[in-house]
Amino acid sequence: MDDTGHNAGFAHWAGAGGNTSGPVIAGNYHAVIDAHRGATVTPLPPGQLPRPARRPRIALLPARRQPAPLGRDAEIAALARALQTGGAVQLWGPRGCGKSTLLRHAAARTLPPREDGVVFLDASHGEASDLAQELFEACYQTQGYAPARSELRQLMTGLRLTVYVDNAELTTEQLRELRDTAPDAAFVFASHDSTLLGDGTVLELAGLARESGQALLERALGRPLPENQRAAAAELW
């Protein structure tokens, strides 16, 4: 529900696992979770909503740093041009073509963030509402607070971020809802299918060229390929 009590695109809920206990605020509701006595939920009086403080530096980068992707200079340049034009960008292609590697490299090393910072999110285990909350927590110092959709949009408006979302297997509507959460941010999505549908720049990522594929194999082996193994490498490519 939204803060008026009606259904909205994002459902506001709070989940607690393990030995979690304590207060959680979702929308206009205050919940106290206790492992022994259960949970109580009460509406917050007007003026009692938390006031999250914006982080002085917004930088949520990929956890794992990887070597630079081989043979992707043209794709990185195309991504940089697309970000300069504004709007959203979607990298799409089959599994194993290198979308995650390219996205992580762009977020962590290659492309400069926008004025207010950069956020990298992994959507493999979350829905659009979960990603919106993760984005909010990357930008604000908060604990146990899930703002209502209208409050969330108000807090995120004006933040000029670059937001990279890996494994973004979301529908066109879900992509739009997530972008609406931070209307002034530039989003880059990586997914298997093209679902942006004219609402930004769509870049298809194909497999590596033969020379780059051989270089990737040599990197993995830690040695150059001898001449008598290059035919087998070509078959593998």
Side-chain angles (χ1 to χ4, degrees), residues 67-151:
L70 295 168
R72 294 301 191 190
D73 292 346
E75 289 84 352
I76 292 173
L79 177 56
R81 290 193 298 271
L83 281 171
Q84 288 175 355
T85 63
V89 185
Q90 186 174 47
L91 290 172
W92 74 279
R95 293 181 185 275
C97 71
K99 300 184 297 296
S100 294
T101 299
L102 180 59
L103 201 71
R104 289 172 178 272
H105 182 70
R109 297 187 180 184
T110 306
L111 302 184
R114 301 185 78 196
E115 297 91 317
D116 291 317
V118 58
V119 176
F120 180 90
L121 302 174
D122 187 347
S124 57
H125 300 294
E127 299 181 357
S129 57
D130 302 321
L131 295 170
Q133 180 66 19
E134 286 185 42
L135 180 56
F136 166 64
E137 292 175 1
C139 299
Y140 283 87
Q141 295 173 344
T142 181
Q143 185 174 2
Y145 178 41
R149 185 177 181 183
S150 58
E151 175 74 8

Side-chain angles (χ1 to χ4, degrees), residues 57-77:
R57 180 173 179 267
I58 300 173
L60 184 61
L61 299 176
R64 291 179 298 143
R65 299 191 64 142
Q66 298 172 318
L70 295 168
R72 294 301 191 190
D73 292 346
E75 289 84 352
I76 292 173

Side-chain angles (χ1 to χ4, degrees), residues 45-229:
Q48 293 297 308
L49 284 175
R51 295 185 178 179
R54 205 180 109 195
R55 297 185 186 277
R57 180 173 179 267
I58 300 173
L60 184 61
L61 299 176
R64 291 179 298 143
R65 299 191 64 142
Q66 298 172 318
L70 295 168
R72 294 301 191 190
D73 292 346
E75 289 84 352
I76 292 173
L79 177 56
R81 290 193 298 271
L83 281 171
Q84 288 175 355
T85 63
V89 185
Q90 186 174 47
L91 290 172
W92 74 279
R95 293 181 185 275
C97 71
K99 300 184 297 296
S100 294
T101 299
L102 180 59
L103 201 71
R104 289 172 178 272
H105 182 70
R109 297 187 180 184
T110 306
L111 302 184
R114 301 185 78 196
E115 297 91 317
D116 291 317
V118 58
V119 176
F120 180 90
L121 302 174
D122 187 347
S124 57
H125 300 294
E127 299 181 357
S129 57
D130 302 321
L131 295 170
Q133 180 66 19
E134 286 185 42
L135 180 56
F136 166 64
E137 292 175 1
C139 299
Y140 283 87
Q141 295 173 344
T142 181
Q143 185 174 2
Y145 178 41
R149 185 177 181 183
S150 58
E151 175 74 8
L152 176 62
R153 182 181 172 90
Q154 188 174 36
L155 288 166
M156 297 298 296
T157 295
L159 287 180
R160 297 180 61 80
L161 305 163
T162 309
V163 183
Y164 296 88
V165 187
D166 197 13
N167 301 304
E169 308 307 324
L170 305 172
T171 66
T172 303
E173 183 60 32
Q174 288 171 329
L175 292 177
R176 187 175 295 117
E177 287 177 352
L178 181 57
R179 291 172 57 196
D180 286 345
T181 300
D184 298 305
F187 283 84
V188 182
F189 302 101
S191 55
H192 299 150
D193 299 311
S194 175
T195 55
L196 206 54
L197 300 182
D199 203 14
T201 303
V202 177
L203 302 174
E204 183 178 4
L205 199 64
L208 289 174
R210 179 171 173 173
E211 295 77 12
S212 298
Q214 179 178 310
L216 181 62
L217 181 58
E218 290 178 334
R219 176 192 282 178
L221 294 173
R223 60 173 174 81
L225 283 175
E227 193 65 36
N228 63 355
Q229 293 181 357

Side-chain angles (χ1 to χ4, degrees), residues 4-29:
T4 65
H6 296 90
N7 288 330
F10 291 106
H12 297 285
W13 61 277
N19 296 321
T20 301
S21 63
V24 175
I25 297 175
N28 292 338
Y29 295 90

